[in-house]
Amino acid sequence: DIKKLRFDAVSQRWEARFDIPTGTPQGDYAVTVIVVRHDGKRSHLTLHYRVDLTPPSGSGGAALLARGKSALHLTVSADDNTARVSALLPWGGKVDLHRAADQSGQFAVDVAPPQGWSEPRAAVTYILTDKAHHRTIVTVDLSDKA
């Protein structure tokens, strides 16, 4: 399909949108952009995109830190496809885990439970999200970790 670019005054860029047809197989694809200048000269540019149908994968852990059980140490080991990780906490909160500085698939955060929280049968639910916004849910039972 041929798409005409439109100039966006806010972003100061030429833009076009296109839908990827349902059922397109996973893989790498290319789009050719032909720029026609005022003087009639043409230049070609090839842009690449990837159709990704695979959700991220990983495993999670949770441990009460020894210093008086004042913090819950949350960890996730995820594949390279994982862009971000959040945790739904047993007391109803939500927190984002931080990717390791070496950009590996390790994510972690320490969280202080609310004062008086003591629930041995609680669980932490991790939400792993990739760049294509696919999600994977991993639940860790804290009763196995206490």
Side-chain angles (χ1 to χ4, degrees):
D1 291 344
I2 296 175
K3 300 285 183 183
K4 291 193 178 230
L5 296 167
R6 293 193 178 138
F7 187 73
D8 182 319
V10 175
S11 68
Q12 294 290 301
R13 294 181 183 210
W14 289 92
E15 299 177 348
R17 294 184 150 269
F18 62 94
D19 292 327
I20 299 169
T22 302
T24 300
Q26 181 166 300
D28 295 315
Y29 295 87
V31 172
T32 300
V33 178
I34 302 170
V35 178
V36 181
R37 302 183 192 282
H38 288 291
D39 62 6
K41 289 185 181 178
R42 292 175 180 239
S43 57
H44 293 236
L45 174 67
T46 301
L47 304 174
H48 299 272
Y49 68 94
R50 177 163 185 63
V51 174
D52 178 6
L53 305 173
T54 308
S57 65
S59 59
L64 289 169
L65 297 179
R67 57 179 189 264
K69 295 187 176 183
S70 61
L72 188 59
H73 180 66
L74 306 176
T75 58
V76 168
S77 179
D79 65 8
D80 292 339
N81 194 30
T82 305
R84 62 187 179 279
V85 177
S86 298
L88 303 177
L89 303 168
W91 50 85
K94 179 180 177 184
V95 65
D96 293 327
L97 280 72
H98 307 288
R99 183 185 293 275
D102 64 2
Q103 293 298 307
S104 68
Q106 303 302 311
F107 294 80
V109 70
D110 291 342
V111 186
Q115 190 168 10
W117 179 79
S118 173
E119 180 57 55
R121 299 195 187 280
V124 174
T125 299
Y126 296 105
I127 304 168
L128 287 64
T129 308
D130 68 11
K131 292 176 186 173
H133 305 286
H134 298 114
R135 292 185 176 170
T136 297
I137 305 295
V138 175
T139 302
V140 174
D141 186 351
L142 294 178
S143 63
D144 297 338
K145 312 292 177 194

PDB file of all heavy atoms in Angstrom, residues 102-119:
ATOM      1  N   ASP A 102      23.646  -3.705  34.354  1.00  0.00           N
ATOM      2  CA  ASP A 102      24.313  -4.327  33.202  1.00  0.00           C
ATOM      3  C   ASP A 102      23.331  -4.653  32.074  1.00  0.00           C
ATOM      4  O   ASP A 102      23.699  -5.295  31.096  1.00  0.00           O
ATOM      5  CB  ASP A 102      25.087  -5.572  33.619  1.00  0.00           C
ATOM      6  CG  ASP A 102      24.185  -6.679  34.165  1.00  0.00           C
ATOM      7  OD1 ASP A 102      22.946  -6.511  34.188  1.00  0.00           O
ATOM      8  OD2 ASP A 102      24.735  -7.717  34.566  1.00  0.00           O
ATOM      9  N   GLN A 103      22.068  -4.220  32.223  1.00  0.00           N
ATOM     10  CA  GLN A 103      21.016  -4.424  31.212  1.00  0.00           C
ATOM     11  C   GLN A 103      20.681  -5.898  30.988  1.00  0.00           C
ATOM     12  O   GLN A 103      20.133  -6.265  29.963  1.00  0.00           O
ATOM     13  CB  GLN A 103      21.389  -3.750  29.884  1.00  0.00           C
ATOM     14  CG  GLN A 103      21.428  -2.244  29.958  1.00  0.00           C
ATOM     15  CD  GLN A 103      20.072  -1.636  30.303  1.00  0.00           C
ATOM     16  OE1 GLN A 103      19.079  -1.898  29.669  1.00  0.00           O
ATOM     17  NE2 GLN A 103      20.038  -0.813  31.336  1.00  0.00           N
ATOM     18  N   SER A 104      21.041  -6.739  31.936  1.00  0.00           N
ATOM     19  CA  SER A 104      20.681  -8.155  31.846  1.00  0.00           C
ATOM     20  C   SER A 104      19.190  -8.301  32.108  1.00  0.00           C
ATOM     21  O   SER A 104      18.490  -7.317  32.309  1.00  0.00           O
ATOM     22  CB  SER A 104      21.477  -8.966  32.866  1.00  0.00           C
ATOM     23  OG  SER A 104      21.056  -8.618  34.188  1.00  0.00           O
ATOM     24  N   GLY A 105      18.704  -9.504  32.135  1.00  0.00           N
ATOM     25  CA  GLY A 105      17.295  -9.750  32.385  1.00  0.00           C
ATOM     26  C   GLY A 105      16.947  -9.800  33.860  1.00  0.00           C
ATOM     27  O   GLY A 105      15.904 -10.334  34.230  1.00  0.00           O
ATOM     28  N   GLN A 106      17.795  -9.237  34.701  1.00  0.00           N
ATOM     29  CA  GLN A 106      17.542  -9.238  36.147  1.00  0.00           C
ATOM     30  C   GLN A 106      16.848  -7.941  36.549  1.00  0.00           C
ATOM     31  O   GLN A 106      17.284  -6.849  36.189  1.00  0.00           O
ATOM     32  CB  GLN A 106      18.861  -9.383  36.915  1.00  0.00           C
ATOM     33  CG  GLN A 106      19.653 -10.624  36.559  1.00  0.00           C
ATOM     34  CD  GLN A 106      18.860 -11.895  36.789  1.00  0.00           C
ATOM     35  OE1 GLN A 106      18.271 -12.100  37.844  1.00  0.00           O
ATOM     36  NE2 GLN A 106      18.835 -12.760  35.785  1.00  0.00           N
ATOM     37  N   PHE A 107      15.764  -8.083  37.306  1.00  0.00           N
ATOM     38  CA  PHE A 107      15.016  -6.944  37.827  1.00  0.00           C
ATOM     39  C   PHE A 107      14.883  -7.140  39.333  1.00  0.00           C
ATOM     40  O   PHE A 107      14.723  -8.269  39.800  1.00  0.00           O
ATOM     41  CB  PHE A 107      13.616  -6.889  37.216  1.00  0.00           C
ATOM     42  CG  PHE A 107      13.579  -6.602  35.747  1.00  0.00           C
ATOM     43  CD1 PHE A 107      13.828  -7.601  34.822  1.00  0.00           C
ATOM     44  CD2 PHE A 107      13.282  -5.322  35.286  1.00  0.00           C
ATOM     45  CE1 PHE A 107      13.785  -7.342  33.464  1.00  0.00           C
ATOM     46  CE2 PHE A 107      13.232  -5.056  33.931  1.00  0.00           C
ATOM     47  CZ  PHE A 107      13.493  -6.066  33.013  1.00  0.00           C
ATOM     48  N   ALA A 108      14.931  -6.044  40.105  1.00  0.00           N
ATOM     49  CA  ALA A 108      14.811  -6.175  41.560  1.00  0.00           C
ATOM     50  C   ALA A 108      14.352  -4.863  42.188  1.00  0.00           C
ATOM     51  O   ALA A 108      14.506  -3.786  41.599  1.00  0.00           O
ATOM     52  CB  ALA A 108      16.143  -6.594  42.167  1.00  0.00           C
ATOM     53  N   VAL A 109      13.811  -4.993  43.394  1.00  0.00           N
ATOM     54  CA  VAL A 109      13.478  -3.830  44.216  1.00  0.00           C
ATOM     55  C   VAL A 109      13.238  -4.326  45.639  1.00  0.00           C
ATOM     56  O   VAL A 109      12.831  -5.470  45.847  1.00  0.00           O
ATOM     57  CB  VAL A 109      12.225  -3.078  43.683  1.00  0.00           C
ATOM     58  CG1 VAL A 109      10.949  -3.867  43.893  1.00  0.00           C
ATOM     59  CG2 VAL A 109      12.114  -1.687  44.281  1.00  0.00           C
ATOM     60  N   ASP A 110      13.539  -3.484  46.609  1.00  0.00           N
ATOM     61  CA  ASP A 110      13.205  -3.758  48.006  1.00  0.00           C
ATOM     62  C   ASP A 110      12.028  -2.867  48.382  1.00  0.00           C
ATOM     63  O   ASP A 110      12.008  -1.681  48.062  1.00  0.00           O
ATOM     64  CB  ASP A 110      14.390  -3.459  48.926  1.00  0.00           C
ATOM     65  CG  ASP A 110      15.536  -4.435  48.734  1.00  0.00           C
ATOM     66  OD1 ASP A 110      15.307  -5.523  48.167  1.00  0.00           O
ATOM     67  OD2 ASP A 110      16.665  -4.112  49.132  1.00  0.00           O
ATOM     68  N   VAL A 111      11.038  -3.456  49.058  1.00  0.00           N
ATOM     69  CA  VAL A 111       9.819  -2.735  49.408  1.00  0.00           C
ATOM     70  C   VAL A 111       9.549  -2.923  50.897  1.00  0.00           C
ATOM     71  O   VAL A 111       9.629  -4.047  51.409  1.00  0.00           O
ATOM     72  CB  VAL A 111       8.605  -3.285  48.619  1.00  0.00           C
ATOM     73  CG1 VAL A 111       7.385  -2.434  48.874  1.00  0.00           C
ATOM     74  CG2 VAL A 111       8.901  -3.364  47.150  1.00  0.00           C
ATOM     75  N   ALA A 112       9.226  -1.837  51.565  1.00  0.00           N
ATOM     76  CA  ALA A 112       8.872  -1.915  52.982  1.00  0.00           C
ATOM     77  C   ALA A 112       7.388  -2.216  53.116  1.00  0.00           C
ATOM     78  O   ALA A 112       6.555  -1.463  52.602  1.00  0.00           O
ATOM     79  CB  ALA A 112       9.210  -0.613  53.681  1.00  0.00           C
ATOM     80  N   PRO A 113       7.037  -3.318  53.784  1.00  0.00           N
ATOM     81  CA  PRO A 113       5.610  -3.592  54.028  1.00  0.00           C
ATOM     82  C   PRO A 113       5.023  -2.526  54.949  1.00  0.00           C
ATOM     83  O   PRO A 113       5.743  -1.920  55.739  1.00  0.00           O
ATOM     84  CB  PRO A 113       5.621  -4.951  54.737  1.00  0.00           C
ATOM     85  CG  PRO A 113       6.955  -5.542  54.443  1.00  0.00           C
ATOM     86  CD  PRO A 113       7.889  -4.378  54.292  1.00  0.00           C
ATOM     87  N   PRO A 114       3.729  -2.294  54.870  1.00  0.00           N
ATOM     88  CA  PRO A 114       3.115  -1.333  55.788  1.00  0.00           C
ATOM     89  C   PRO A 114       3.229  -1.828  57.230  1.00  0.00           C
ATOM     90  O   PRO A 114       3.291  -3.034  57.484  1.00  0.00           O
ATOM     91  CB  PRO A 114       1.657  -1.273  55.332  1.00  0.00           C
ATOM     92  CG  PRO A 114       1.440  -2.424  54.432  1.00  0.00           C
ATOM     93  CD  PRO A 114       2.764  -2.905  53.961  1.00  0.00           C
ATOM     94  N   GLN A 115       3.256  -0.889  58.129  1.00  0.00           N
ATOM     95  CA  GLN A 115       3.389  -1.232  59.548  1.00  0.00           C
ATOM     96  C   GLN A 115       2.257  -2.167  59.966  1.00  0.00           C
ATOM     97  O   GLN A 115       1.101  -1.966  59.620  1.00  0.00           O
ATOM     98  CB  GLN A 115       3.365   0.026  60.398  1.00  0.00           C
ATOM     99  CG  GLN A 115       3.736  -0.238  61.836  1.00  0.00           C
ATOM    100  CD  GLN A 115       3.977   1.063  62.584  1.00  0.00           C
ATOM    101  OE1 GLN A 115       3.693   2.149  62.092  1.00  0.00           O
ATOM    102  NE2 GLN A 115       4.508   0.938  63.777  1.00  0.00           N
ATOM    103  N   GLY A 116       2.624  -3.237  60.664  1.00  0.00           N
ATOM    104  CA  GLY A 116       1.644  -4.199  61.150  1.00  0.00           C
ATOM    105  C   GLY A 116       1.307  -5.295  60.159  1.00  0.00           C
ATOM    106  O   GLY A 116       0.538  -6.197  60.475  1.00  0.00           O
ATOM    107  N   TRP A 117       1.867  -5.247  58.939  1.00  0.00           N
ATOM    108  CA  TRP A 117       1.566  -6.286  57.943  1.00  0.00           C
ATOM    109  C   TRP A 117       2.241  -7.586  58.335  1.00  0.00           C
ATOM    110  O   TRP A 117       3.425  -7.618  58.634  1.00  0.00           O
ATOM    111  CB  TRP A 117       2.016  -5.880  56.549  1.00  0.00           C
ATOM    112  CG  TRP A 117       1.732  -6.946  55.531  1.00  0.00           C
ATOM    113  CD1 TRP A 117       0.546  -7.199  54.946  1.00  0.00           C
ATOM    114  CD2 TRP A 117       2.644  -7.907  55.011  1.00  0.00           C
ATOM    115  NE1 TRP A 117       0.653  -8.256  54.067  1.00  0.00           N
ATOM    116  CE2 TRP A 117       1.935  -8.713  54.097  1.00  0.00           C
ATOM    117  CE3 TRP A 117       3.987  -8.186  55.223  1.00  0.00           C
ATOM    118  CZ2 TRP A 117       2.530  -9.753  53.402  1.00  0.00           C
ATOM    119  CZ3 TRP A 117       4.582  -9.220  54.533  1.00  0.00           C
ATOM    120  CH2 TRP A 117       3.846  -9.997  53.635  1.00  0.00           C
ATOM    121  N   SER A 118       1.471  -8.638  58.387  1.00  0.00           N
ATOM    122  CA  SER A 118       2.005  -9.957  58.697  1.00  0.00           C
ATOM    123  C   SER A 118       1.022 -10.970  58.131  1.00  0.00           C
ATOM    124  O   SER A 118       0.035 -11.317  58.768  1.00  0.00           O
ATOM    125  CB  SER A 118       2.151 -10.137  60.212  1.00  0.00           C
ATOM    126  OG  SER A 118       2.517 -11.465  60.485  1.00  0.00           O
ATOM    127  N   GLU A 119       1.281 -11.429  56.924  1.00  0.00           N
ATOM    128  CA  GLU A 119       0.391 -12.373  56.269  1.00  0.00           C
ATOM    129  C   GLU A 119       1.216 -13.510  55.688  1.00  0.00           C
ATOM    130  O   GLU A 119       1.759 -13.409  54.602  1.00  0.00           O
ATOM    131  CB  GLU A 119      -0.401 -11.664  55.163  1.00  0.00           C
ATOM    132  CG  GLU A 119      -1.356 -12.569  54.429  1.00  0.00           C
ATOM    133  CD  GLU A 119      -2.363 -13.265  55.322  1.00  0.00           C
ATOM    134  OE1 GLU A 119      -3.075 -12.580  56.069  1.00  0.00           O
ATOM    135  OE2 GLU A 119      -2.433 -14.501  55.273  1.00  0.00           O
TER     136      GLU A 119
END
